[in-house]
Amino acid sequence: MATKTKKRIFYFDELRALAIIFVVLCHACILFRPFRYETLSVSMPGIFYVLTHVAVPIFFMLSGALLLNRDYHGLSAFFKKRFSRILYPFLFWIPIAIIISLFILHNSYNDAFKTFFGINRWPWFVWTMMGIYLILPVINSFVREYGMKGCEYFMIIWFVTIILNTFNHYPFYQLELSYFARFIGYLVLGYWLANKTVNISDRNMILFGFLMFFASISIDFYIFMKDIPKIETKYLSLFVVLASIGLFLMFKRYNNYCDSNPESLLGRAHSKIENGIVGKAVLSLSVCSYGMYLVNSLLYKIIDKVFHVNQLRLLPILFIGVLILSWLLVYVLSKIPVLDKFSGAG
């Protein structure tokens, strides 16, 4: 008997596609630092930069939603199936990044060393993911044992660490909370959001998610723009956590509404999107997202080195060009035997 293929969850693909678009946009905006805020047009790189802070949390949350509360049939099976998916593409693209750093960007050997270990460089995300994967079997066993109540227990403590980190104040020097801290909480949060049932209508939850996202990002942007000292504005900020929750809820409940009301105007439109060319593009972006993350920064560095990008009007051209080029590069590699497992598509 043929094994039934598990249907993909479309809003997961939507969120992952949006996250990689945000990552590519974020890296484009970085080229225009320091950010200025004299006029709206001049402020756009700074605005987009803060807006895209939710991208990395969304990636982590989707990992939690997909990987937690599962039976991996032993540690060796888990690491063979999951760890290799992030390790092989990293080992393929990092040597290329080092070669580019040394011979195209003409950086020092010390700078190339920093690139490999992600010191103030884009591979930090990969090292963070590898660290999370090392602890994930432990967290997975905890979630399988204690379920949603266990997730809520974990998240309460995690939120305490997030609040303390946001305001740069930790008074409990002898109280060890690091086991609950930093990015691991996003995985538990993602699993909980994906599986928690709340008796609130989809429409109201979509509105609530939007307001949470908009308000939290606005506060985060204000703090970032004013450069208020000792308040965190990036991935481990309370405001970014809340914005990420709002975005996740919007996509989840919008898809729920469309699935529950297939004959409504939104339901019919969403079905056409999911099953049409846009849906195929969303799926492809989602599948290629990890490879695109590894590639896009390299493309930006080469372009900036060759063309010395400094004109703000080039931002949309630069962003769209790198988005398409990195997507195409990963997609083509994923179709080549042997190289497919190194492409970062999966």
Side-chain angles (χ1 to χ4, degrees), residues 54-104:
V54 297
V56 166
I58 289 297
F59 279 131
F60 286 130
M61 291 162 72
L62 289 172
S63 293
L66 289 167
L67 300 180
L68 289 179
N69 198 19
R70 297 185 61 177
D71 184 1
Y72 291 105
H73 307 290
L75 287 174
S76 60
F78 167 79
F79 285 111
K80 183 178 180 181
K81 184 176 182 180
R82 296 296 170 186
F83 205 81
S84 60
R85 287 191 177 184
I86 61 171
L87 183 61
Y88 289 160
F90 178 67
L91 295 178
F92 176 78
W93 288 109
I94 272 295
I96 296 174
I98 292 173
I99 291 170
I100 290 172
S101 177
L102 292 174
F103 300 106
I104 296 179

Side-chain angles (χ1 to χ4, degrees), residues 14-218:
E14 289 177 310
L15 281 168
R16 189 180 287 107
L18 179 63
I20 191 57
I21 290 171
F22 274 7
V23 165
V24 177
L25 178 57
C26 174
H27 291 165
C29 293
I30 288 174
L31 297 180
F32 295 90
R33 290 189 299 187
F35 301 127
R36 295 180 293 123
Y37 304 100
E38 289 89 357
T39 64
L40 180 60
S41 59
V42 170
S43 301
M44 293 313 294
I47 293 172
F48 287 141
Y49 179 74
V50 173
L51 175 67
T52 59
H53 282 171
V54 297
V56 166
I58 289 297
F59 279 131
F60 286 130
M61 291 162 72
L62 289 172
S63 293
L66 289 167
L67 300 180
L68 289 179
N69 198 19
R70 297 185 61 177
D71 184 1
Y72 291 105
H73 307 290
L75 287 174
S76 60
F78 167 79
F79 285 111
K80 183 178 180 181
K81 184 176 182 180
R82 296 296 170 186
F83 205 81
S84 60
R85 287 191 177 184
I86 61 171
L87 183 61
Y88 289 160
F90 178 67
L91 295 178
F92 176 78
W93 288 109
I94 272 295
I96 296 174
I98 292 173
I99 291 170
I100 290 172
S101 177
L102 292 174
F103 300 106
I104 296 179
L105 305 180
H106 303 295
N107 292 327
S108 65
Y109 285 98
N110 183 55
D111 198 73
F113 175 83
K114 289 181 178 180
T115 297
F116 176 77
F117 285 103
I119 302 172
N120 297 322
R121 304 295 193 279
W122 50 269
W124 74 267
F125 174 79
V126 183
W127 288 106
T128 302
M129 278 303 302
M130 286 194 283
I132 286 175
Y133 272 42
L134 290 174
I135 193 66
L136 198 145
V138 178
I139 302 298
N140 183 62
S141 297
F142 174 81
V143 172
R144 285 176 65 83
E145 177 71 21
Y146 295 103
M148 299 298 278
K149 289 294 184 182
C151 290
E152 289 157 8
Y153 161 77
F154 192 101
M155 287 191 299
I156 287 171
I157 303 175
W158 180 64
F159 265 98
V160 170
T161 69
I162 288 293
I163 292 170
L164 295 175
N165 180 77
T166 300
F167 298 101
N168 196 30
H169 186 66
Y170 190 88
F172 310 113
Y173 295 110
Q174 301 303 320
L175 179 61
E176 179 60 78
L177 296 180
S178 61
Y179 306 110
F180 299 89
R182 299 186 65 77
F183 295 103
I184 189 66
Y186 275 120
L187 274 77
V188 179
L189 174 63
Y191 172 80
W192 186 84
L193 286 174
N195 293 280
K196 181 68 175 180
T197 301
V198 180
N199 191 25
I200 300 175
S201 71
D202 290 325
R203 288 186 176 185
N204 288 339
M205 191 59 82
I206 292 168
L207 177 61
F208 174 75
F210 171 76
L211 293 175
M212 177 183 284
F213 171 76
F214 182 79
S216 300
I217 281 293
S218 298

Side-chain angles (χ1 to χ4, degrees), residues 5-22 55 58-59 61-63 65-66 85 194 247-248 251-252 255 270 273-275 278-290 292 327 345-346:
T5 303
K6 186 177 181 180
K7 186 178 184 297
R8 294 183 72 100
I9 300 174
F10 188 59
Y11 85 88
F12 284 3
D13 286 320
E14 289 177 310
L15 281 168
R16 189 180 287 107
L18 179 63
I20 191 57
I21 290 171
F22 274 7
I58 289 297
F59 279 131
M61 291 162 72
L62 289 172
S63 293
L66 289 167
R85 287 191 177 184
L247 191 65
F248 197 102
F251 276 78
K252 176 185 176 181
N255 276 260
H270 189 260
I273 290 173
E274 182 175 355
N275 297 304
V278 175
K280 292 179 180 177
V282 166
L283 175 59
S284 181
L285 272 171
S286 175
V287 169
C288 294
S289 59
Y290 178 51
M292 290 173 66
W327 183 6

